[in-house]
Structure formats: C-alpha cells, structure tokens
Amino acid sequence: MNFTSPRRRFASAAVAGIALSGLLAACGGSGSQDSGSGSSGPVTLDFWGWANGQEAVVKAFNASHKDVQLKYTKVTDQLTMQKQLTNAVKAGNAPCLLQNTGEYVTSWVSQGALADITQYVEGEKDKFNAGSWATGQVQGKVYGVPTASAPAFTIYRTDLFAKYGLEAPTTWDDFIAAGKELKKHDIKITNYAGEDPSTLEVLAMQAGAHWYAIDGNAWKVNFKDEGTLKAAKVIQEIIDNDLNSKLSFADYAAVQRNYDNGGTATRQISTWQMSGMVQNFTKSFGDWALSPWPTFAGEAAKTPAATNQSGNLTLVSEQCENKEQAAQAALWMSTDTGAVKTMASPETGSGVMPALKDSDSYVSEAISEKLLGKNYEPGKKVVTDSLGTVTTDWTFGPNWTAMFTEMQDEWAAVVSKKQKVTDLLDHMQEWTVNDLKQRGISVKG
C-alpha cells in the first residue's frame, strides 16, 4: 500500500454511535451459536491474518493456554482477506478469528458475517484508547478488538534531499515543489501503485472530506465535497507532472528496492510499513528521517486516521462455535505485554503502535534505529506528535468493501493518465449511490 491502508488510530467510525434502523441492509442468517468443541482436548480456533509477527504471537498464546489453541493461516494481504473471507462465509467455514481493518467492519456487519462480542470484551475497554476501541463498533455493539493505532508521518531520504538542497516538505505545495526538483535528477518523490487508491482516501480524509455521513435515517454520499476536491488537486498535479513512480505492490520486493536505490525519495506511512523497509533494504540504512505529514497551505497539522494500516482489529466471525474463547484470545493478543512488544517491533513484527492507552511508551520500539540512524531520536517526537493530530470524524459506509474495489479499478486509469481524478470522483458518486440503493439501503447523494 502507498500509505497503507488502512488507513487507523483510527478511523473513528461515526457509525459507532449510530442507533438508526434501516441504515444497514438486512443481515443474513443468525449463524451458529457458541458451543463446546464436543470432544476431549482443547478448543482449536482458526485465525486468519497477514501481519508480520502473528506467527510468533500465536506460538506464545498456544504455549500459555491449555484449553484454547490457535491455528494460524497467513493470508497474502488485506485485499486478499476480503476475497477469501467472502468465499468462506458463503461456504459456511469462516475462521473464528480474523485480522482486518476498520473500513471493512460496517460492510461485514451488514452481511451478518461478524459476531457481537460486546458481552465478552466490554469490561476491558478501559485498557484501550477510545479511538481504537470505537473502530470495532457498529451501532454501539463491539465486533472486534483493536490491535493497533497508526500514527501517520513522512519518511524521506535525507541524503537525496541534502544533495539537491531540499528541506523536508511541510505543506503539499512544498511536496510538489520538491518533487519537481527531484524530477530533474530522475528521482520520483512518491509512488502511486495503480491498484491502490488509498492515497486519494487519506488525503481527502486529511482535507476534511466525508464520503459517507448519516443524514436523518439515511446515508449521505458525497465524493465531490470541498475536502475531496482539495485532495484531488494535489494528486492530479503530482500525476500531471510525472512526479510519481508507478510501481505495483504486487512486486513488493521491487518497490522496496526502488526506495533503497533512491528511485523514490519519500513515503507517507505509519510505523508498520517501516518493517518492510528494514527487512528488504541493503544500502540506505541511516539515510532516512521522519517529518510530519504535509499540511494543506494555511492549515494546522492534521493527519489522516490510518485507514488501512496493518490490521488494527481482530474480529470474531458469526460462524464461530466458540465466540467467547475467540473474543478472549483476541483480547490476549492485544494486551499481553510480550505479544504487544512482538508486534510493535519492525524487526520481529509489523512495527504497529499498540491500541492501548499507553501506546506512546511503545514509540521507541515501533520505529527502527537501524533504518533511521542518527535521525532515530528526533523521529520519536514526530511519531508521538502525530498521535495528537489524527482525524477523528471519518465514517465508513455499509458498502465500503464493494466501493473500494470499484475505486481500485478506476484508480489505475488515473495513474496511467487515462482519466482525471475528478472523473473518478464523478463515477464513484454515481456508482456508490446506485449500489446502496440496490442493497436496499436508504441513501441520499
């Protein structure tokens, strides 16, 4: 993912407090209810995820629990998870536990795929920061235990910026200007993968956009509000001026080599993406530094809720026969000190910041001294400061999964200059409204 992805301290889904009937499509069947395993020995729970470090966490869980064991299956990535989970739900063999991100929760709840685990986890909510906890809720019910918050910032090549007399960009105008200078030397300032429109999502979020909102007893859809158009202008200028690489994350190693070799000089990321850099770089250790997420000119610092970051929830499926045990396992993975440290480290895990109230205390473990070198200590402050400027008013709609898939298809044409960002937005406005109507969901737009 470019930023991801994940996009999420935390997308405070405004849907968390919604108590309106008719906003979600009618759910499917009630699914199986809790039951014992029906045989001697421990209960075994299938757990699907994709984040680095999860195998080690599962091993530690199994070593410390006699009555419940986890069987881990590694999924390729976030988007593959949605496809495989769709098939599993239809076949009636969904895993008990699964990693996912906040933007998909409402969609899966509307399909009856997730279990309400409120009664099993509500007593532990004070261990988590409020924003992360809200991400797993829909209409006041809890469907997932948060695993991560996602501070957002820029990481950039200090050697390249120094060589060409550039400072770390503080605004998007600065970012574009730096990109034009770097272009003279055959260096791109950023990478837009053709399959990943999260760049548009996070910039729109930062600019104050609201693609979905609640209006009375209906969903309101607006892909052409002032914030989205402001974000579109920045992205269009970067694309029009050929300031971006176009490397697909389908070849993840090639993307990392490009950064390592100096082909692309910056990324807007969160802590978890640093693990991929650490694990794949060979040349540029110590040449990277952190700076705040660029602002829109004249505006205060504001970073997007990391919408598709590294899997900030462990969800329990409605088809799980042992929901209480699954919920307790999810809690353990998010609160056990050893498990949290494993996932927080970019060397042993995914470099994710915990969703716990004291997440600031994990900053030193979530960023890599090997990657940042002498820039490690100042980098800590950048990360800590970013936690205080996260967007908290973004809402994920009930058809987010389908919407984002459609946007992916259209985004490739934007990156390849076959259409403008505004053309994409026109299409998504019409498509999303029609899709919600076809699902029987009340919508305005």
Side-chain angles (χ1 to χ4, degrees), residues 169-244:
T170 59
T171 68
W172 287 113
D173 289 342
D174 294 339
F175 189 82
I176 291 169
K180 290 179 178 178
E181 179 60 34
L182 290 170
K183 179 184 175 182
K184 298 174 184 178
H185 309 284
D186 296 322
I187 300 169
K188 304 296 186 181
I189 194 158
T190 191
N191 180 58
Y192 290 167
E195 73 276 8
D196 183 15
S198 62
T199 297
L200 175 59
E201 180 190 352
V202 294
L203 262 68
M205 184 185 297
Q206 180 194 12
H210 297 282
W211 292 352
Y212 293 88
I214 301 301
D215 185 358
N217 289 319
W219 286 94
K220 181 179 179 181
V221 174
N222 191 353
F223 282 83
K224 300 176 68 178
D225 60 8
E226 182 181 354
T228 305
L229 294 177
K230 188 188 300 184
K233 183 176 182 296
V234 170
I235 293 170
Q236 194 65 61
E237 189 165 356
I238 290 171
I239 291 174
D240 287 347
N241 286 281
D242 297 314
L243 308 183
N244 59 296

Side-chain angles (χ1 to χ4, degrees), residues 73-216:
T73 298
K74 190 174 182 65
V75 178
T76 304
D77 53 34
Q78 175 195 35
L79 299 177
T80 302
M81 173 67 80
Q82 315 317 317
K83 297 173 183 177
Q84 294 187 359
L85 184 58
T86 295
N87 294 333
V89 169
K90 289 180 179 178
N93 58 4
C96 271
L97 290 164
L98 59 129
Q99 175 189 1
N100 225 313
T101 53
E103 74 267 34
Y104 295 108
V105 174
T106 308
S107 295
W108 287 118
V109 170
S110 72
Q111 297 175 54
L114 301 183
D116 173 6
I117 58 173
T118 308
Q119 62 178 316
Y120 308 127
V121 302
E122 186 73 2
E124 304 297 314
K125 69 178 182 180
D126 288 343
K127 293 181 179 179
F128 299 85
N129 63 63
S132 289
W133 189 257
T135 309
Q137 296 183 42
V138 177
Q139 295 182 311
K141 297 178 180 179
V142 182
Y143 293 88
V145 176
T147 62
S149 54
F153 44 83
T154 300
I155 189 167
Y156 68 100
R157 282 286 293 265
T158 56
D159 55 336
L160 298 178
F161 272 65
K163 182 177 181 179
Y164 301 113
L166 299 171
E167 299 289 336
T170 59
T171 68
W172 287 113
D173 289 342
D174 294 339
F175 189 82
I176 291 169
K180 290 179 178 178
E181 179 60 34
L182 290 170
K183 179 184 175 182
K184 298 174 184 178
H185 309 284
D186 296 322
I187 300 169
K188 304 296 186 181
I189 194 158
T190 191
N191 180 58
Y192 290 167
E195 73 276 8
D196 183 15
S198 62
T199 297
L200 175 59
E201 180 190 352
V202 294
L203 262 68
M205 184 185 297
Q206 180 194 12
H210 297 282
W211 292 352
Y212 293 88
I214 301 301
D215 185 358

Side-chain angles (χ1 to χ4, degrees), residues 279-313:
Q279 293 163 13
N280 288 276
F281 285 4
T282 60
K283 301 177 180 179
S284 60
F285 290 118
D287 291 333
W288 295 87
L290 307 185
S291 65
W293 187 277
T295 65
F296 290 95
E299 297 186 7
K302 186 179 181 182
T303 53
T307 48
N308 35 8
Q309 296 302 337
S310 166
N312 61 344
L313 291 165

Side-chain angles (χ1 to χ4, degrees), residues 34-54:
D34 289 355
S35 66
S37 63
S39 61
S40 60
V43 169
T44 299
L45 307 174
D46 286 323
F47 172 32
W48 291 4
W50 66 83
N52 292 331
Q54 286 176 333

